Amino acid sequence: LDLAGPGLGMLSPAQLRSGLSLACGGSTGRRQRTWLASDRGWAPRLRWRSRAAWPLWVQPSLAAAATTVRPCVPLRQRPLWLFLGVTARVSRGAALQSDYICIFMQQTPEFATMQSSDDFATGSWQLVILVDIPNEESQKEVKLIVSGDLHIGGVMLKLVEEIKIAQDWSDFALWWEQKHCWLLKTHWTLDKYGVQADANLFFTPQHKLLRLRLPNVKTVRLRVSFSAVVFKAVSDICRTLNIRRSEELSLLKPSGDYFKKKKKKDKNNKEPIAEDILDLESSSTISGSPVSPGLYSKTMIPTYDPINGTLASSTMTWFSDSPLTEQNCSILAFSQPPQSAEALAEMYQPRSLVDKAKFNAGWLDSSRSLMEQGIQEDEQLLLRFKYYTFFDLNPKYDAVRINQLYEQARWAILLEEIDCTEEEMLIFAALQYHISKLSLSAEIQDLTNETEVDEVEAALSNLEVTLECGKADNALEDITDIPTLADNLKLFRPRKLALKAFKQYWFVFKDTSITYFKNKELEQGEPVEKLNLRGCEVVPDVNVSGRKFGIKLLIPVADGMNEVYLRCDHENQYAQWMAACILASKGKTMADSSYQPEVINILSFLKMKNRNSTPQVASSLENLDMNPESFVSPRCAKKHKSKQLAARILEAHQNVVDMPLVEAKLRFIQAWQSLPEFGLTYYLVRFRGSKKDDILGVSYNRLIRIDVATGIPVTTWRFANMKQWNVNWEIRQVAIEFDQNVSIAFTCLSADCKVVHEYIGGYIFLSTRSKGQNETLDEELFHKLTGGQE
């Protein structure tokens, strides 16, 4: 008989002693009839019990103990049931054949104790809570007498009163170890949460120390909320570090091998080299704290010089109350000195697609807190750009963000996380060398004599100029006259058992489509084919030294992608057609204002790739100053001698020698984005109906099925053609439907399906951003798209 039952829970020991009788009827079946005695009379109640779980104890009644109220020890762990055993003389002899009472119990190892009969009668029970006392190593155990209708806020109030230590307890909250959850809804009662006497509760701070390895391989230690979901925690971290667009980043827990290789020993010292940590412990990533200025108000964030990325003097005051001082901000906004070739060889480097898939399994769930995912205090995690859609990069506000992006791209190249050609590797090396020189220069950091400019006045003046002498005429021209391109190009369609032979056609580019004819005279007739480039994938196929200027088009069709290669004759022709294809893939025409800047960017990138044939060779001092193995991958460094490699890097450096610091970083990021494998995150999966494992590549605009043995793409599906996706959480299977009745389903082998589901939903969420909208995020929409229905 449990105290929660109607009638019995209202009885007091005094009422029982006054003559009320309790009778319990035994039964041979699974259903029992129980009579509950109260002042209202006898009330029948049906209950189901399992004989295996509730062994029957029979105790004859004794006349001497007829008025004894004896609480029996409940032997049940969860949920907790309290039993009252009373030996009494049965007054309704017709109800039972024998004078005994039945007590049912379940045997488990834990016991719950009652303090007194009064506590027992009022439904109170003992709750044990462990408290993390600041500056003490051991936890303090506190015992409270509570009842199920007590709310969580009342429990914490009683707990603080019992501890009797004067301090600020506002950041403390209750953590339920068995359920692995925070009890943050202080208005909920213990009964509503399901907390009972066997619960292991911890009263611990919500904000704890965490070590974060940034993309520039610099480690910072700061206080992070362990109770907020990861999406919110990352937002607060980025606000502290002055990184805009926090939705593009997330936290990753790598495997144990990732940090082991970093413990390199010095030759003259047997102890491992201590890691240099930027300590921001005094900062707290609590939302709305005065330490963190409002990030998403452009007049409230630090501004930087758009040329060299240094802090503008008018915004130094933003760091006056923050642990992120001017010096610390420079550490985050400026590139670190290049690592030695030996240190580079010791770093973790994925060797295959399967290794990359295992590494990507470590992304944390954005819809759950750090504590819920087993992250411990002062544990080391990676802060990385998870989604490769870098929106609204502004050198005036994003010096830290641009530098961290550059560093993530640099390490992806050096550790061969993304493949590139040897020519591209030399371009990346030249840009790295140039950026490292500018970052170490003292001249660009000396801006103390710069006049202060009020940000609001500057913004108003820019708006006035835009309104008075904006591009109204150009905008009208863009609407009425859409430019076209027409020229002779060479085309090739790859087919099995066919030689790669290009054939010349007359091509016409209009709107977002390419039409080609056998020759120019047949332009007014029927075309050979019309290619709609909206939603296609555009990949450069360029070798400047070999005078090869190609464009690879992957055009989506019902069963995958059609592959088409175009070949241009020279740089200017390639830049115009490449820019038109890039815009068309985004649904834009050449009338868009971004067409001409895109052409200029492509030409400047080709200029970087073009080796300078002039005999301007760097001085011997410059040769000695550079360690070429620090700017290329270890595999590339093994192919060339050090002097030869240095000469080739310095030769490529002549094309970027006059480039400012921030522009060089942005050019490096653009070159990284132009690589064919950019933005691909790999997972090991098995598709429905397949007997072998495959690699699934998830990008910002498509999914790619890749053969795990050869690394060759098999099929591509575009997000633009996706109708819906869902997850069967029971069998952990992701199912996606596309246009033209194309559907796929797969199970994830290298990670939980929730990780892939969050990637797809996250990219769709990021595609809803626009410059016209407020920069505040719709967090509810993000969790709807990524949280799942578990």
Side-chain angles (χ1 to χ4, degrees), residues 130-316:
L130 294 178
V131 182
D132 284 331
I133 304 295
N135 303 323
E136 292 188 13
E137 296 183 358
S138 60
Q139 295 175 326
K140 181 178 180 180
E141 184 180 281
V142 179
K143 299 179 180 179
L144 299 178
I145 303 302
V146 298
S147 59
D149 57 355
L150 182 62
H151 53 77
I152 299 299
V155 174
M156 292 193 293
L157 181 60
K158 293 182 67 173
L159 185 61
V160 172
E161 292 175 350
E162 186 71 22
I163 297 172
K164 298 178 181 179
I165 297 179
Q167 70 166 51
D168 184 8
W169 298 96
S170 59
D171 189 44
F172 280 65
L174 289 173
W175 167 257
W176 192 355
E177 183 65 26
Q178 293 110 320
K179 293 286 188 179
H180 230 59
C181 68
W182 288 93
L183 307 183
L184 298 178
K185 297 179 180 179
T186 55
H187 61 285
W188 277 26
T189 63
L190 294 174
D191 283 344
K192 192 169 184 178
Y193 265 119
V195 176
Q196 296 176 346
D198 63 336
N200 294 332
L201 299 184
F202 293 87
F203 193 52
T204 182
Q206 300 178 60
H207 288 79
K208 301 176 184 292
L209 286 177
L210 192 68
R211 287 177 296 146
L212 296 178
R213 176 78 64 84
L214 302 181
N216 64 346
V217 200
K218 189 75 177 177
T219 301
V220 298
R221 178 187 279 114
L222 71 167
R223 292 196 176 274
V224 180
S225 175
F226 274 59
S227 60
V229 295
V230 169
F231 183 83
K232 186 68 173 66
V234 171
S235 176
D236 294 336
I237 291 170
C238 292
R239 184 177 289 109
T240 301
L241 301 178
N242 294 304
I243 300 176
R244 290 199 311 149
R245 301 294 178 182
S246 62
E247 65 273 16
E248 299 170 356
L249 296 92
S250 190
L251 298 176
L252 187 144
K253 183 178 180 180
S255 61
D257 298 336
Y258 185 85
F259 294 113
K260 285 181 180 178
K261 290 192 176 183
K262 286 297 294 178
K263 295 181 180 179
K264 184 185 175 183
K265 294 184 179 180
D266 194 0
K267 294 180 180 179
N268 301 324
N269 189 6
K270 296 182 180 180
E271 296 296 328
I273 300 175
E275 186 178 17
D276 185 20
I277 298 179
L278 176 61
D279 198 349
L280 302 178
E281 182 178 348
S282 58
S283 70
S284 178
T285 59
I286 302 176
S287 302
S289 62
V291 172
S292 304
L295 177 64
Y296 296 109
S297 173
K298 286 191 176 182
T299 60
M300 292 292 290
I301 63 174
T303 56
Y304 303 84
D305 188 283
I307 304 300
N308 51 46
T310 56
L311 274 168
S313 59
S314 60
T315 57
M316 293 299 181

Side-chain angles (χ1 to χ4, degrees), residues 40 49 62 66 81 182 338 419 470 485 498 535 550 563 569 571 583 593 623 627 632 672 700 729 746 780:
R40 301 187 186 93
R49 291 195 176 97
L62 300 176
W81 291 75
W182 288 93
D419 292 333
L485 287 176
E563 207 170 322
D569 295 330
E571 294 96 330
L583 292 182
S593 60
N623 274 292
N627 184 10
V632 296
W672 176 44
Y700 68 96
W729 299 108
F746 55 86
E780 182 180 356

Side-chain angles (χ1 to χ4, degrees), residues 552 584 670 771:
K552 179 181 177 181
Q670 291 171 359
K771 290 187 177 181

Side-chain angles (χ1 to χ4, degrees), residues 701-774:
N701 60 353
R702 67 195 187 279
L703 298 174
I704 303 179
R705 182 176 182 176
I706 304 173
D707 187 275
V708 70
T710 62
I712 299 176
V714 178
T715 314
T716 302
W717 303 278
R718 310 287 295 190
F719 285 158
N721 301 328
M722 186 169 63
K723 296 171 63 177
Q724 67 173 0
W725 87 99
N726 57 75
V727 180
N728 187 330
W729 299 108
E730 294 182 358
I731 60 176
R732 319 301 290 181
Q733 185 181 75
V734 181
I736 308 176
E737 294 184 13
F738 298 91
D739 292 336
Q740 302 179 4
N741 298 323
V742 176
S743 63
I744 61 173
F746 55 86
T747 55
C748 302
L749 304 180
S750 62
D752 190 88
C753 65
K754 174 66 169 62
V755 180
V756 179
H757 166 66
E758 183 174 315
Y759 250 112
I760 297 174
Y763 274 125
I764 293 176
F765 169 76
L766 296 182
S767 67
T768 62
R769 297 180 298 179
S770 63
K771 290 187 177 181
Q773 69 183 26
N774 191 355

